[in-house]
């Protein structure tokens, strides 16, 4: 009889540590679930990261699944209604990556404000654009933060410490002392926007033509740290080329999205990174340890021993 099975997406956890900790289980590391064959049907626990989808069809092919461990925060791509209906436990750790993603947000904001991507992209095109790289001090900026989860709060904190004036997009769920302004006022108020929203139906494409029209007078910087689905990528790139945006930084780019950010005919003040916000050694170590501890705990003391 085959041993019970644990699946771990490559980059979502330390497969060797899981093998040592879960000695009663077969542990499979995968880059694509399609490569695993019968192991998918035997899986009792799966460890995933961003870019791995667990939709209704995929979950139907995993009849023995009891636990999902999300090494991070995002729930997009996971059919949580199916998990709830089947009683499948969902475990995630959104706080672990927040300081690192906030660091990326500040780095991106500084880079856009100093027009560093424009200068670098110009050199890649063979153009020397020094005169076009006249920057603006972040310390004098108004920065709107969209999303008051761990990442939005951490990004606001580091930006505020740098001297910028920060306000959150108001939401009924924000009940503590964070400074808030009505969302409708922020496009006309802010010099820069940090987007740290989850990919829900409500948030899909929020930063598109309507937002760009409202923000046109400010010609703001746009820093996207949440999910790519929250922006209309084509509209934002067009606004960047036309001057409606002064700068655009986007981190949550998966492999399937890379084609959207190919270099165009003219250099732009564009920073596009392959979802590296949480890719910091200390965060990776903390997530790996948490994944192993959580898997051991949920699968029971015998497996842990």
């Amino acid at each position: 009889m085959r041993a019970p099975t644990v699946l771990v997406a490559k980059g979502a956890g330390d497969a060797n540590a899981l093998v040592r900790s879960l000695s009663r289980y077969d542990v499979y590391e995968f880059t694509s679930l399609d490569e695993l064959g019968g192991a998918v049907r035997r899986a009792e626990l799966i460890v995933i990261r961003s870019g791995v989808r667990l939709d209704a069809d995929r979950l139907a092919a995993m009849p023995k699944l009891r636990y999902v461990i999300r090494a991070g925060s995002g729930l997009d791509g996971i059919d949580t209604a199916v998990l709830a209906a089947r009683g499948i436990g969902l475990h995630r750790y959104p706080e672990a990556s927040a300081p690192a993603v906030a660091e990326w947000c500040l780095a991106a904001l500084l880079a856009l404000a100093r027009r560093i991507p424009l200068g670098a992209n110009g050199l890649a095109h063979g153009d020397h654009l020094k005169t076009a790289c006249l920057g603006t001090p972040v310390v004098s900026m108004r920065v709107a933060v969209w999303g008051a989860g761990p990442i939005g709060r951490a990004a606001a904190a580091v930006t505020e410490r740098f001297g910028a004036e920060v306000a959150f997009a108001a939401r009924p769920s924000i009940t503590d002392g964070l400074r808030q302004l009505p969302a409708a006022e922020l496009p006309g108020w802010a010099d820069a926007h940090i987007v740290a929203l989850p990919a829900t139906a409500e948030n899909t494409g929020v930063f598109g033509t309507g937002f760009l029209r409202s923000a046109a007078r400010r010609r703001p910087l746009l820093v996207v740290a949440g999910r790519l689905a929250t922006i209309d990528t084509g509209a934002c790139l067009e606004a960047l080329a036309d001057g409606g945006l002064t700068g655009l930084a986007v981190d949550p780019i998966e492999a399937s999205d890379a084609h959207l950010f190919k270099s165009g005919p003219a250099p732009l003040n564009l920073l596009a990174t392959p979802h590296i916000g949480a890719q910091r050694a200390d965060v990776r170590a903390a997530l790996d340890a948490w994944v192993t501890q959580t898997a051991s705990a949920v699968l029971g003391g015998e497996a842990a021993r």
Side-chain angles (χ1 to χ4, degrees), residues 184-213:
E185 293 182 12
L186 290 177
W189 176 84
D191 303 298
H193 300 262
I194 295 175
V195 183
L197 293 170
T200 63
E202 176 190 11
N203 295 331
T204 299
V206 167
F207 296 87
T209 53
F211 165 81
L212 293 166
R213 192 180 306 114

Side-chain angles (χ1 to χ4, degrees), residues 262-289:
K262 286 183 178 179
S263 178
L268 299 172
N269 195 27
L270 170 66
L271 175 65
T273 53
H275 215 155
I276 62 170
Q279 287 290 90
R280 209 173 67 180
D282 59 326
V283 175
R284 187 68 265 160
L287 282 172
D288 285 349

